[in-house]
Amino acid sequence: MADNNSLVGGEFLLQQINGRVIAVQVLVMIFLCINIFLIVTFFKKECFYTTARYILFAVTLLSDSLILIMSDVLLILSYFQFTMQVWLCIIISVVVLLELTVTPVTLTAMTLERYVAICMPLRHGQLCSTRSSLHCILIIHGLSSVPCIVVLSTFFASAPLGLYKQYRGCSVEMFILYRWQDHIRSAVSQFYFLIMCIIIVFSYVKIMTVAKAASGENKKSTWKGLRTVILHAFQLLLCLARLWCPFIETAVHQINLKLFNDVRYFNYILFSVAPRCLSPLIYGLRDENFLHALKSYGFFDLYKRNIRQGRLIIFQQKSCTMH
């Protein structure tokens, strides 16, 4: 009887996980389609790929799309218990670790861009030129590579040579062989979190000061920039909250396996998938120029053209009837 109950419980858990995997696939496909549409729109107009904030926006879209694809692939491999050699997992993990940090660092750079645009408008053209934006992208990826280098360096220093040819399930946690490695990774992550929070708060306070002193159109524009900084802060908080998820999941795993699966699924949706869908909301829909471009190149414009063509055909038919 106990064996039957265990079998039924296992089948139920498998069906539940299967449903969750399907739900993740749907969400990932939706967000990827939206991101691809936004990326295509970005390259359609010259004013987008020559403006600093839109260039940084495109970087977040590319990074988020890559993270969605890679994390989804790892999720499917984990679900089917697929293993690979450790050296191949290292190559995949380098991309994942790098891009996980690129998004919050880019959001911080976008916040600084808004600070310069509102608080230092006379120097904005010089500091946020296209060339400066390209240099900024290199700096972003350089800073984002530091946590990845730290994690892999501690792994290479402690892993035996025979480990690289072993077959294991690919995950970032695989590189944590000893407790001290986890402490180093946590220290680096918290240091980045502290620096980013200081930059966000500093920008918010400075923009708030300018907003109170501004008037008319400048006041409206400044408050809009302030709301963008707040949204960046919320998105950044979700991205950085992902750093604490492994600690929570490890503690829950020791208590109950079913609760562990629930918590891990919740963390993945809220802290991995959700932050990647906020970029289209913040810039793709709130920005007037980008929204206008989306309408021009999207289904709305196609729909309007069909209506105009239909009206033209009806008008021509009426003209022929009258003649």
Side-chain angles (χ1 to χ4, degrees):
M1 186 70 178
D3 292 338
N4 291 336
N5 289 336
S6 299
L7 182 61
V8 172
E11 290 178 353
F12 174 75
L13 182 60
L14 185 62
Q15 291 175 358
Q16 187 180 23
I17 295 174
N18 186 49
R20 290 176 176 178
V21 171
I22 294 173
V24 169
Q25 304 311 306
V26 173
L27 289 174
V28 168
M29 288 302 298
I30 291 173
F31 295 146
L32 278 178
C33 290
I34 294 173
N35 285 357
I36 290 172
F37 182 52
L38 291 172
I39 292 170
V40 171
T41 304
F42 167 79
F43 286 106
K44 285 282 187 178
K45 296 189 70 174
E46 184 180 355
C47 65
F48 291 150
Y49 54 81
T50 56
T51 306
R53 58 174 174 162
Y54 295 119
I55 293 174
L56 294 176
F57 172 50
V59 171
T60 61
L61 287 175
L62 291 170
S63 176
D64 291 345
S65 299
L66 188 56
I67 281 295
L68 284 174
I69 294 172
M70 297 297 292
S71 63
D72 188 45
V73 169
L74 291 176
L75 175 70
I76 295 173
L77 293 179
S78 175
Y79 174 71
F80 289 104
Q81 298 181 347
F82 182 85
T83 59
M84 64 179 70
Q85 286 189 322
V86 172
W87 67 266
L88 180 58
C89 182
I90 291 174
I91 296 175
I92 297 174
S93 299
V94 166
V95 179
V96 174
L97 287 170
L98 176 63
E99 296 303 325
L100 277 174
T101 314
V102 164
T103 294
V105 174
T106 307
L107 288 173
T108 307
M110 294 172 76
T111 301
L112 287 174
E113 188 276 332
R114 286 294 82 198
Y115 161 73
V116 173
I118 294 171
C119 300
M120 306 167 63
L122 297 179
R123 299 192 61 189
H124 181 261
Q126 177 186 359
L127 295 176
C128 300
S129 62
T130 305
R131 186 175 182 179
S132 299
S133 300
L134 297 178
H135 292 162
C136 182
I137 292 173
L138 294 177
I139 294 172
I140 287 171
H141 283 79
L143 292 173
S144 301
S145 65
V146 173
C148 177
I149 292 173
V150 170
V151 171
L152 292 179
S153 297
T154 57
F155 174 75
F156 292 147
S158 56
L161 293 177
L163 180 64
Y164 299 104
K165 293 184 179 181
Q166 293 182 9
Y167 284 83
R168 293 192 177 185
C170 188
S171 66
V172 177
E173 286 74 21
M174 185 190 68
F175 300 105
I176 307 299
L177 302 177
Y178 301 100
R179 191 67 179 172
W180 61 268
Q181 294 173 311
D182 199 18
H183 292 324
I184 292 177
R185 184 181 69 165
S186 176
V188 173
S189 300
Q190 290 180 25
F191 175 74
Y192 270 60
F193 176 80
L194 178 63
I195 297 298
M196 292 174 188
C197 285
I198 291 173
I199 292 174
I200 290 285
V201 172
F202 170 80
S203 301
Y204 178 84
V205 171
K206 289 294 184 179
I207 294 174
M208 176 70 80
T209 304
V210 174
K212 290 181 178 180
S215 60
E217 289 296 324
N218 290 334
K219 192 177 187 68
K220 182 180 178 180
S221 176
T222 304
W223 280 105
K224 185 177 180 180
L226 189 63
R227 289 193 297 269
T228 301
V229 171
I230 294 173
L231 287 172
H232 281 326
F234 177 69
Q235 187 180 8
L236 190 62
L237 181 63
L238 288 178
C239 290
L240 296 176
R242 187 72 183 89
L243 302 174
W244 282 278
C245 291
F247 302 104
I248 299 173
E249 292 169 4
T250 301
V252 173
H253 187 268
Q254 298 174 356
I255 301 173
N256 185 278
L257 180 60
K258 184 179 183 302
L259 182 60
F260 167 75
N261 289 325
D262 292 337
V263 170
R264 195 165 196 179
Y265 179 77
F266 175 80
N267 288 340
Y268 177 72
I269 295 296
L270 187 61
F271 301 120
S272 293
V273 177
R276 270 75 199 175
C277 71
L278 288 179
S279 290
L281 174 64
I282 294 174
Y283 269 104
L285 300 180
R286 290 185 68 252
D287 187 88
E288 294 180 2
N289 294 330
F290 215 91
L291 182 60
H292 179 72
L294 287 174
K295 290 180 178 180
S296 299
Y297 299 116
F299 296 105
F300 300 104
D301 188 61
L302 182 63
Y303 176 71
K304 290 179 180 179
R305 288 179 182 176
N306 289 335
I307 292 177
R308 290 171 185 170
Q309 289 177 357
R311 289 177 178 175
L312 180 61
I313 292 172
I314 293 173
F315 176 76
Q316 290 175 348
Q317 289 176 348
K318 287 183 178 180
S319 298
C320 292
T321 304
M322 290 176 64
H323 287 296

